Amino acid sequence: MRTVKILAILFAMIFFISMVSNIALAGFPPQPTNKPSSGGGGGGSYTPVQFEAYTTPLKSSDGTVIGRLEGQNFNSVMVWAERNGTVGNTSYTLTVEGELSSKPPEDCWLDINFLEPNSSGLPPGMENGAVFAVVKVTKNPDGWSWKGGSPKYTLRISGLTQSMSTGDTYYIVRNDGSDYQMQKVNVDASGSQATIKFNPSGDAGVFTIMVPIVPAPAPTPTPTPTPIPTPTATPLPTDGGMWGYPIFIALFVVGVVTGAASIFLVMRNR
């Protein structure tokens, strides 16, 4: 009987422990089973960032929309901008086209202004040239990452007061505030209208379209011949008049007589 009581107590304790364990485990959520990772690497998989094409407005410093920025991919942003202006009776339109290797900051802006011809600020020696247009381009921030160095500019002029001819040589003078750069440009002109396309050495500064006026060379003076001195003639002896020749003859006769006498005396003494 004693053995039966001991076994009954053991079974009761086992049943009690089993019930308590089931109740305790029921309060915890099931734990996920970790799958073995392949390749011996780290944790979960990496999802690359997807590029989304975009188009945002490009503004000037006063908030006016003058163009757009088009994101093609992470390393290509197309830029297009255009601004019109009038100086006197002449109208101007400058179009800017280019590609950036990265997106500029959100607060970027581009200004295009057309100035009077006397505002060009040309280097010394070129102030009297024929000026057809002066355009000032500024941007923020400085140092846009242009592909190819700088954008392409197209300037259209209407109502020219000075004629331009297709095929003639014109120049773009860029003043960046500390230095000047000059390059030749071709002009497509028709009447009072002209189109000029150029790719400058820098994207900002004051751009002057002009033709330098080279002053005509001063005429070379005709050299004055060096005068050759005329030799002075030696004056002849002054004519002694009627007394000159007789005295000369008398002296000659005296000489002859003296000589003859000397010869006579010598011969006699021999």
Side-chain angles (χ1 to χ4, degrees):
M1 291 296 294
R2 185 177 180 182
T3 303
V4 174
K5 290 182 180 179
I6 293 173
L7 291 174
I9 293 171
L10 290 175
F11 282 118
M13 291 178 64
I14 292 172
F15 177 77
F16 177 76
I17 293 172
S18 177
M19 291 297 294
V20 171
S21 298
N22 289 333
I23 294 172
L25 292 174
F28 294 93
Q31 298 297 318
T33 302
N34 293 330
K35 296 181 180 180
S37 59
S38 60
S45 61
Y46 170 74
T47 302
V49 178
Q50 298 296 321
F51 177 84
E52 294 184 3
Y54 61 86
T55 299
T56 59
L58 177 60
K59 300 180 180 180
S60 61
S61 59
D62 61 3
T64 303
V65 176
I66 63 170
R68 61 182 178 270
L69 300 171
E70 297 180 356
Q72 307 292 317
N73 54 57
F74 288 114
N75 301 314
S76 176
V77 180
M78 305 304 296
V79 180
W80 182 89
E82 188 173 271
R83 193 70 183 259
N84 304 322
T86 302
V87 177
N89 295 322
T90 306
S91 299
Y92 302 92
T93 300
L94 181 67
T95 304
V96 180
E97 297 176 279
E99 182 181 7
L100 300 174
S101 60
S102 61
K103 183 179 180 181
E106 295 294 335
D107 59 347
C108 68
W109 50 261
L110 180 70
D111 276 354
I112 301 173
N113 295 292
F114 303 96
L115 309 178
E116 295 284 347
N118 57 6
S119 304
S120 57
L122 293 171
M126 300 182 66
E127 302 93 335
N128 297 325
V131 176
F132 299 92
V134 181
V135 186
K136 184 177 182 180
V137 179
T138 54
K139 64 184 185 341
N140 178 66
D142 194 15
W144 289 17
S145 54
W146 295 103
K147 290 186 176 180
S150 61
K152 295 179 180 179
Y153 291 165
T154 302
L155 178 65
R156 297 177 179 85
I157 309 175
S158 178
L160 283 167
T161 57
Q162 303 179 78
S163 62
M164 302 182 79
S165 301
T166 301
D168 288 352
T169 300
Y170 298 88
Y171 293 88
I172 290 285
V173 180
R174 173 178 172 258
N175 179 6
D176 62 3
S178 60
D179 199 1
Y180 298 92
Q181 296 87 35
M182 176 184 288
Q183 67 183 97
K184 290 182 180 181
V185 293
N186 295 322
V187 175
D188 183 9
S190 176
S192 62
Q193 298 182 346
T195 300
I196 306 166
K197 296 183 178 182
F198 57 100
N199 184 217
S201 57
D203 60 346
V206 178
F207 300 89
T208 303
I209 294 85
M210 65 169 303
V211 174
I213 296 179
V214 180
T220 304
T222 304
T224 304
T226 304
I228 301 175
T230 304
T232 304
T234 304
L236 296 174
T238 304
D239 187 5
M242 62 177 296
W243 299 102
Y245 289 103
I247 292 174
F248 179 77
I249 295 172
L251 291 175
F252 178 76
V253 172
V254 171
V256 170
V257 173
T258 303
S262 299
I263 295 172
F264 176 75
L265 293 175
V266 171
M267 294 299 295
R268 184 178 177 181
N269 292 332
R270 295 180 63 182

